[in-house]
């Protein structure tokens, strides 16, 4: 009886185990089946959860209430009034055929090398060239985003950064654009039978009409290889003024980032504005190439100095740099040829009146020298952020797509130590004692080299870029795309430098040009680096306890840079980069019809003072809203003064920060109301 009971018990246990296996299998099957339908919802949930709980940035503010109606707010964040009537208008104005000719002269295939700003400039130029030659443009190939760099195959070349469909649709009435070459021409390209040109930087329309066009008509296709960030001169003849507006339509309307980049940039912008405060976008412009080109190595110490010098040697060998190898970096800085350091920009902003709790967004990819270079800026402002502190690693990895694993992702462990075999000659040669054989050369492993710059101590020649480094370069394009979007939308923008490693306008110049086109009245400071270096040198010993006269000089300089910088850009920068100053060709002046007759002379002088030239009058349909703001203009002007400051230059009122000196709390603090604000500047 006992044995029979045990058998029944074992039989029941078997059935229970079998039932558990069946239920587990069914559960797994259900899980995988539902995963396909819930992936998007889970992703959205993770993204929203990350926006609340994962970010490293926790804003700290001195005063929770921040009144936009205060005079101080209007002085620091309000619009530049002389540019309020300036509005974007890139539509054709003269004779311009609405549709491209049905009979094309052939195909133009373009390969573009360079960084973010060079790619953007080049794309705008090749569209104009295609229209100029009546050719069909093939979607340009961005060489730094090809699959050979180890990036995701989900996005190909142009589509890695920009929205192809939007690009084609926006330019339908200007240029005929196709995604690929016809099949017969693809074969000719693989056999390298397509004639190709490497146009020089800022090539003239004459070159394309008299050298490229005949070849295009003969072979029905040409290939352009662009490496300098621009292949068409910036200032075109008067009869080609409509082509300048075509450049604006390409840069500011057709070139939209792909959906994933646009969505993440929009999320970051919303997170920046979530505290309800305006923010400053700051572009350091401190790239290794720019520092080497202008001889600013001595601004850094230790290995960074050597890295800059190595790059300058490389540039001199290739004829990019014509000057001496060793430059006086301090002299270059005083001459305005070196970037403003983050500490200097922080001092300028604090001296101008921006409080320590102002939100500062650092844009422009990576800063040479790393986060250590930004430590002084973090010490001056509490809320210094970038894209990494406002997004999650999961969101960034989703931006890159699915990428293959490549060698060198992880540090390899050193090989096992092999038993040393002594040479036979040493064993049997000569009487003892015998000298020991020379030790073997020390093996070098990746973990023995400190950082990516470890080659400096080993060789005078910089090693070739690894696949991971090439992949990172492609990622930098996406980082700069996000930063570009945010910098254009920022309430205030200030650049640390506006030149790249070839002496051409850089990322910051494109941002300032886009802001001038899209929202000209937003504050965009263009400090004169030479004058700033002089002002900082005057009070270097007492920089953090500056007097009233010095503070007033800084404020006057930044206020004047809002308009004086435009004048300089119209004469210097525009001659080498049209997109850095796209006015007056792509803008119009909008005013009330009643007000226009009485103030036309004032508007003209204001436009001239702003460096924008004679501006075309906006069409009637664009002038419907201009009267809404004019009613309140007088009341705004009456209160355009600073509030009396209750803190010193770098004083803080927070309990965990150092209090400012009492000297600035009394008479000089009241004088810092800056009555000179009423004398000009933003009005």
């Amino acid at each position: 009886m006992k044995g029979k009971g045990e058998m029944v018990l074992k039989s029941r246990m078997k059935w229970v185990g079998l039932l558990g296996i069946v239920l587990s299998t069914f559960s797994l099957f259900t899980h995988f089946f539902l995963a396909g339908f819930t992936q998007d919802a889970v992703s959205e949930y993770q993204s929203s959860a990350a926006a609340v709980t994962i970010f490293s940035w926790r804003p700290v503010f001195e005063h929770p209430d921040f009144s936009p109606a205060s005079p101080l707010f209007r002085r620091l964040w309000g619009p530049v009034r002389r540019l309020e009537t300036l509005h974007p208008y890139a539509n054709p104005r003269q004779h311009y055929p609405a549709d491209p000719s049905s009979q094309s002269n052939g195909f133009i295939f373009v390969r573009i090398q360079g960084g973010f700003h060079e790619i953007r400039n080049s794309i705008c130029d090749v569209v104009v060239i295609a229209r100029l030659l009546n050719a069909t443009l093939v979607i340009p190939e961005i060489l730094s985003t090809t699959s050979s760099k180890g990036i995701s195959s989900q996005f190909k070349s142009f589509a890695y950064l920009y929205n192809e469909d939007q690009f084609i649709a926006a330019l339908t009435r200007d240029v005929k654009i196709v995604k690929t070459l016809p099949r017969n021409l693809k074969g000719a390209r693989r056999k390298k039978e397509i004639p190709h040109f490497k146009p020089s930087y800022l090539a003239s329309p004459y070159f394309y009409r008299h050298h490229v066009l005949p070849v295009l008509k003969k072979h029905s296709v040409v290939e352009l290889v662009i490496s300098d960030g621009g292949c068409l001169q910036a200032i075109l003849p008067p009869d080609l003024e409509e082509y300048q507006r075509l450049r604006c339509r390409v840069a500011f309307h057709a070139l939209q980032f792909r959906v994933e980049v646009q969505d993440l940039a929009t999320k970051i912008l919303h997170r920046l504005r979530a505290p309800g405060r305006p923010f400053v976008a700051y572009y350091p412009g401190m790239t290794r190439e720019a520092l080497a080109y202008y001889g600013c190595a001595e601004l850094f110490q230790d290995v960074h100095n050597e890295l800059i010098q190595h790059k300058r040697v490389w540039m001199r060998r290739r004829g990019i740099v014509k000057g001496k190898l060793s430059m006086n970096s301090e002299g270059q800085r005083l001459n305005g040829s070196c970037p403003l350091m983050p500490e200097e920009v922080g001092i300028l902003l604090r001296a101008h009146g921006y409080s320590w709790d102002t939100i500062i967004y650092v844009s422009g990819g990576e800063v040479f020298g790393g986060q250590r270079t930004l430590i002084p800026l973090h010490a001056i402002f509490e809320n210094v952020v970038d894209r990494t502190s406002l997004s999650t690693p999961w969101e960034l990895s989703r931006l890159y797509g699915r990428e293959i694993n490549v060698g060198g992702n992880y540090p390899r462990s050193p090989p096992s130590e092999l038993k040393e075999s002594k040479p036979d000659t040493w064993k049997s040669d000569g009487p003892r004692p015998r000298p020991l054989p020379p030790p073997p050369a020390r093996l070098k492993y990746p973990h023995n080299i400190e950082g990516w710059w470890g080659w400096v101590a080993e060789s005078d020649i910089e090693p070739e870029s690894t696949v991971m480094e090439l992949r990172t370069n492609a990622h930098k394009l996406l980082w700069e795309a996000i930063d570009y979007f945010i910098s254009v939308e920022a309430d205030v923008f200030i650049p640390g430098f506006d030149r790249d490693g070839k002496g051409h306008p850089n990322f910051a110049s494109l941002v300032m040009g886009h802001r001038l086109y899209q929202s000209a009245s937003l504050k965009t400071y263009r400090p004169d680096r030479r004058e700033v270096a002089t002002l900082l040198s005057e009070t270097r010993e007492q920089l953090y306890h500056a007097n009233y006269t010095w503070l007033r000089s800084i404020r006057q300089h930044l206020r004047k840079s809002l308009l004086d910088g435009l004048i300089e850009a119209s004469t210097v920068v525009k001659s080498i980069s049209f997109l850095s100053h796209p006015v007056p060709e792509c803008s119009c002046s909008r005013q009330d019809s009643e007000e226009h007759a009485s103030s036309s002379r004032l508007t003209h002088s204001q436009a001239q003072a702003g460096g924008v030239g004679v501006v075309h009058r906006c069409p009637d349909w664009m002038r419907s809203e201009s009267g809404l703001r004019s009613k309140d203009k007088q009341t705004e002007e009456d209160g355009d003064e600073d509030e009396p400051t209750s803190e010193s230059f770098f004083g803080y009122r927070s309990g965990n920060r150092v209090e400012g000196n009492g000297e600035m709390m009394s008479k000089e603090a009241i004088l810092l109301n800056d009555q000179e604000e009423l004398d000009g500047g933003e009005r």
Side-chain angles (χ1 to χ4, degrees):
M1 191 72 181
K2 183 178 179 180
K4 186 176 180 180
E6 291 179 354
M7 291 179 61
V8 171
L9 180 61
K10 291 181 179 179
S11 176
R12 289 180 178 178
M13 291 177 65
K14 290 180 179 179
W15 281 107
V16 170
L18 181 61
L19 180 62
I21 293 173
V22 172
L23 291 176
S24 299
T25 305
F26 178 76
S27 175
L28 287 173
F29 175 78
T30 305
H31 172 75
F32 288 122
F33 179 76
L34 295 177
F37 295 95
T38 60
Q39 182 177 4
D40 295 337
V42 171
S43 300
E44 185 64 28
Y45 168 77
Q46 290 180 348
S47 178
S48 61
V52 177
T53 60
I54 301 179
F55 300 136
S56 60
W57 180 47
R58 294 294 181 268
V60 178
F61 300 114
E62 180 180 10
H63 302 294
D65 52 336
F66 193 64
S67 175
S70 65
L72 179 62
F73 181 93
R74 289 198 298 271
R75 184 176 71 82
L76 298 178
W77 306 101
V80 181
R81 291 175 183 163
R82 292 191 181 182
L83 301 177
E84 277 189 312
T85 59
L86 204 63
H87 293 273
Y89 186 59
N91 293 343
R93 303 173 192 172
Q94 303 171 1
H95 175 68
Y96 184 81
D99 296 310
S101 175
S102 57
Q103 294 186 352
S104 172
N105 288 326
F107 294 88
I108 294 181
F109 180 80
V110 185
R111 292 189 297 160
I112 302 174
Q113 301 172 343
F116 176 87
H117 66 282
E118 294 171 321
I119 292 171
R120 197 171 181 89
N121 269 327
S122 300
I123 292 174
C124 297
D125 284 352
V126 298
V127 171
V128 174
I129 292 169
R131 173 79 186 200
L132 185 67
L133 303 183
N134 189 25
T136 300
L137 177 65
V138 182
I139 288 286
E141 177 182 331
I142 302 175
L143 294 182
S144 55
T145 62
T146 56
S147 57
S148 61
K149 307 300 186 295
I151 66 174
S152 173
S153 58
Q154 182 180 356
F155 311 106
K156 295 182 179 179
S157 190
F158 187 91
Y160 186 77
L161 189 59
Y162 293 110
N163 188 329
E164 284 187 350
D165 296 331
Q166 164 67 20
F167 181 71
I168 296 174
L171 298 174
T172 302
R173 307 191 67 180
D174 295 295
V175 179
K176 185 178 180 181
I177 303 176
V178 296
K179 292 188 176 182
T180 60
L181 286 169
R183 183 174 300 179
N184 60 326
L185 295 179
K186 282 184 179 179
R189 179 174 176 265
R190 282 193 294 267
K191 297 176 183 178
K192 298 183 179 180
E193 297 175 352
I194 292 180
H196 69 278
F197 294 87
K198 292 184 178 180
S200 61
Y201 183 66
L202 302 180
S204 66
Y206 179 89
F207 168 78
Y208 292 101
R209 283 173 168 169
H210 294 81
H211 293 82
V212 178
L213 183 58
V215 178
L216 176 65
K217 290 182 176 180
K218 180 179 180 181
H219 296 273
S220 299
V221 61
V222 295
E223 179 178 339
L224 301 181
V225 180
I226 305 170
S227 59
D228 290 329
C231 56
L232 183 64
Q233 67 184 42
I235 306 297
L236 296 177
D239 61 317
L240 297 179
E241 183 177 332
E242 288 299 334
Y243 290 84
Q244 299 287 54
R245 281 185 273 277
L246 175 57
R247 272 175 164 161
C248 293
R249 292 195 292 276
V250 177
F252 308 133
H253 298 280
L255 279 180
Q256 302 291 329
F257 301 119
R258 63 177 165 94
V259 177
E260 294 83 0
V261 179
Q262 198 88 7
D263 289 346
L264 181 55
T266 304
K267 288 180 181 178
I268 293 177
L269 182 62
H270 289 166
R271 293 161 188 169
L272 265 174
R273 297 198 184 279
R277 300 285 189 103
F279 70 95
V280 177
Y282 160 55
Y283 174 73
M286 297 169 59
T287 63
R288 183 183 170 203
E289 291 76 13
L291 293 167
Y293 183 86
Y294 289 97
C296 304
E298 295 174 7
L299 298 181
F300 295 84
Q301 298 176 353
D302 53 59
V303 70
H304 295 93
N305 188 319
E306 296 185 39
L307 287 169
I308 295 173
Q309 287 296 90
H310 273 79
K311 178 59 71 172
R312 187 168 177 86
V313 171
W314 182 87
M315 289 180 167
R316 290 181 80 249
R317 289 174 180 171
R318 285 156 179 78
I320 300 175
V321 173
K322 305 295 184 182
K324 300 178 182 178
L325 177 60
S326 298
M327 299 287 292
N328 182 359
S329 298
E330 182 62 20
Q332 291 290 91
R333 188 185 75 84
L334 293 175
N335 191 37
S337 298
C338 290
L340 295 176
M341 300 298 286
E343 180 185 15
E344 296 172 335
V345 173
I347 290 171
L348 290 179
L349 293 175
R350 287 291 285 121
H352 192 53
Y354 292 96
S355 61
W356 62 268
D357 57 357
T358 301
I359 301 174
I360 309 292
Y361 182 86
V362 181
S363 64
E366 293 182 333
V367 179
F368 184 74
Q371 290 297 316
R372 183 179 65 175
T373 311
L374 297 174
I375 289 177
L377 186 65
H378 284 269
I380 297 173
F381 290 99
E382 178 69 31
N383 299 310
V384 178
V385 295
D386 58 13
R387 70 186 172 280
T388 60
S389 54
L390 291 166
S391 61
T392 63
W394 177 83
E395 287 176 322
L396 290 175
S397 63
R398 185 184 180 189
L399 194 67
Y400 307 146
R402 295 182 179 179
E403 297 179 330
I404 60 173
N405 291 327
V406 295
N409 287 7
Y410 307 101
R412 292 172 293 179
S413 58
S416 59
E417 184 178 355
L418 299 177
K419 185 177 180 180
E420 182 179 357
S421 59
K422 298 180 180 180
D424 295 337
T425 56
W426 183 81
K427 293 180 181 180
S428 58
D429 186 27
R432 296 176 184 272
R434 298 185 298 272
L436 294 175
R442 183 175 67 89
L443 296 177
K444 295 181 177 63
Y445 308 113
H447 64 275
N448 294 133
I449 300 178
E450 186 178 359
W452 59 269
W453 38 261
W455 57 268
V456 173
E458 306 290 341
S459 172
D460 291 335
I461 301 176
E462 185 170 353
E464 295 291 333
S465 299
T466 63
V467 176
M468 280 302 298
E469 290 172 341
L470 295 174
R471 173 185 289 183
T472 303
N473 290 337
H475 291 175
K476 288 179 181 178
L477 295 178
L478 301 177
W479 302 344
E480 292 190 341
I482 293 173
D483 291 344
Y484 183 89
F485 179 88
I486 295 173
S487 297
V488 170
E489 298 292 334
D491 302 278
V492 172
F493 180 76
I494 181 169
F497 203 49
D498 58 357
R499 290 290 187 272
D500 64 6
K502 297 178 182 178
H504 305 156
N506 65 358
F507 175 94
S509 296
L510 288 188
V511 169
M512 291 188 287
H514 198 150
R515 289 169 64 88
L516 180 61
Y517 170 81
Q518 178 175 296
S519 46
S521 61
L522 287 181
K523 278 188 167 58
T524 302
Y525 296 112
R526 295 172 172 85
D528 185 338
R529 293 184 297 275
R530 178 184 298 179
E531 186 173 344
V532 169
T534 303
L535 290 172
L536 293 176
S537 300
E538 289 176 357
T539 183
R540 179 67 67 180
E541 304 241 343
Q542 299 178 345
L543 194 56
Y544 289 84
H545 303 281
N547 56 32
Y548 164 71
T549 304
W550 185 83
L551 291 178
R552 182 174 179 176
S553 299
I554 289 292
R555 294 189 178 188
Q556 285 179 341
H557 174 71
L558 283 183
R559 190 180 66 251
K560 290 179 180 179
S561 73
L562 295 170
L563 297 177
D564 291 352
L566 284 178
I567 298 175
E568 181 181 0
S570 65
T571 56
V572 179
V573 180
K574 187 173 182 176
S575 61
I576 52 179
S577 175
F578 173 78
L579 296 180
S580 298
H581 192 83
V583 293
E585 291 86 352
C586 299
S587 298
C588 64
S589 179
R590 187 173 71 175
Q591 275 195 330
D592 247 355
S593 56
E594 300 176 358
E595 172 178 15
H596 179 74
S598 60
S599 60
S600 59
R601 182 178 304 175
L602 177 62
T603 304
H604 177 79
S605 62
Q606 287 178 347
Q608 293 288 353
V612 298
V614 179
V615 181
H616 179 77
R617 187 180 176 186
C618 293
D620 294 338
W621 60 268
M622 293 182 64
R623 284 185 266 125
S624 57
E625 300 177 358
S626 61
L628 299 178
R629 294 188 303 272
S630 60
K631 297 179 181 179
D632 301 328
K633 182 174 289 189
Q634 183 62 36
T635 58
E636 290 182 4
E637 292 178 354
D638 293 340
D640 191 22
E641 302 177 16
D642 285 356
E643 293 178 345
T645 57
S646 59
E647 56 181 348
S648 68
F649 180 21
F650 284 98
Y652 302 101
R653 298 174 60 91
S654 178
N656 61 343
R657 288 181 171 266
V658 182
E659 293 288 342
N661 292 341
E663 300 175 3
M664 297 293 295
M665 295 290 187
S666 56
K667 184 180 294 185
E668 290 190 356
I670 298 175
L671 289 174
L672 280 178
N673 290 341
D674 276 354
Q675 296 292 341
E676 72 272 3
E677 298 288 346
L678 299 175
D679 299 335
E682 297 149 25
R683 294 180 54 185

